[in-house]
Amino acid sequence: MNKFINETLVIYISKFTNTKVIKALKDGMMFSLPFLMIGSLFLLIANLPIESVSKVISESGIGDVCSQVYSSTFSLMAFFTVIGITYSYLKNDQVITAINGALTGLAAFILLTPSSKVLDSGESVTGIISKDWTAGQGMICAILIGFLVGYIYSLCVKKDISIKMPDGVPSGVADSFSSLLPTGIIITICAIIYAICHFIFNTTFAELIYLVIQIPLQGITDSFFGVIIMTVVMSLLWWTGVHGGSICGGILSPILQANMAANQKIIDSGLPLTIQNGGHIFTQQFWDNFLCMSGAGIVIGLVIYITFFAKSKSLRSLGKLSIVPNIFNINEPIIFGTPIVLNIYLLIPFVLVPLIIGISSYLLMYMGILPLFSGVMVPWTTPPIISGLLIGGWRVALWQFVMIVVSFVIYLPFIKKIDTLELNKENQK
């Protein structure tokens, strides 16, 4: 099994994760993370779950300031995504003028999104950049444009399709001229795409992508079986020694963030955030604070046992080293220290715990026992229970406590077996 995993499975997975597209997606999505966190923080301040405080914030005008910050950060996630992916693609291709290409990606995105909007009064307003498309609705379009611009721009540079300036010209000026032809080619291509969508389909490229690709993708991921599949895949990848969170999270993040933005849009419209009103269950918070609580495999129960109850010295020492990082959802010391990787004794609980938690969490949210998540998002290193309290109130915090108990109970018989084996080895020395 080890030979098959190391010489076959890991090689193919590594090839996949090192492709230009996947690397650009993973690296590019990180550009939007600081803005999402800052926007979520101000959204949380504007909507604190303490009625008296919330009233003071609203009446003092602080809530309006927080909303402006939110709309200038969180609501522009598609902008940050297209810039980040284009820049990452070009940087990985060692294109010197990567920043110029990233700005070209932004221009292409704006060109291909709606520039008009019909108001509730029936009046049509033109010449605008609608924040409907700079947030969740435009995510898949932003990703596709990022890849498209990155590929074409890089191809132009490799084929030396650029204007060369004489030596001695300042580098800023030279870079601007060298970017002129690639940018012109890309904008022209995007203009043709815009014209085809406008005259033939009577829509825009962004609206077409949203209808044909994004809505079906959001429906597939935001489903009972979508949660099951992604949970099992992530755990199995980690068990083989491959960073499952990076792979699955990198692919899922655009969709999960779009789901999160869609939930916040329901709240902003004045409607209750429910499934009946179009709310999504599987969001970025669901991934970070349920499926990846204390890290992949939800290993906090295992960590508690080896820290406080293990009889073998090796496991107790590992527990003392790993418990603090694990509280902040960092579990690499446990994954590779126990080890969990390729450990047949721990394969079952490592897959079973997040699977049970994922299924239970989905059903509880579907039945309305747990609330759906709004746009409030906390850093993934926020400790359990605290994170639950911030993103969903006392019910989510209580559920995270139950998750810790479930993790401990399921891991207990398996880690006790390993503890006994380790103790026997130590006694034989």
Side-chain angles (χ1 to χ4, degrees), residues 369-388:
I369 298 173
L370 290 177
L372 300 185
F373 294 120
S374 65
V376 176
M377 184 178 168
V378 295
W380 63 270
T381 51
T382 305
I385 299 178
I386 296 175
S387 63

Side-chain angles (χ1 to χ4, degrees), residues 385 393-403:
I385 299 178
W394 68 269
R395 285 182 291 172
V396 177
L398 178 60
W399 175 238
Q400 285 186 319
F401 175 77
V402 174
M403 289 168 57

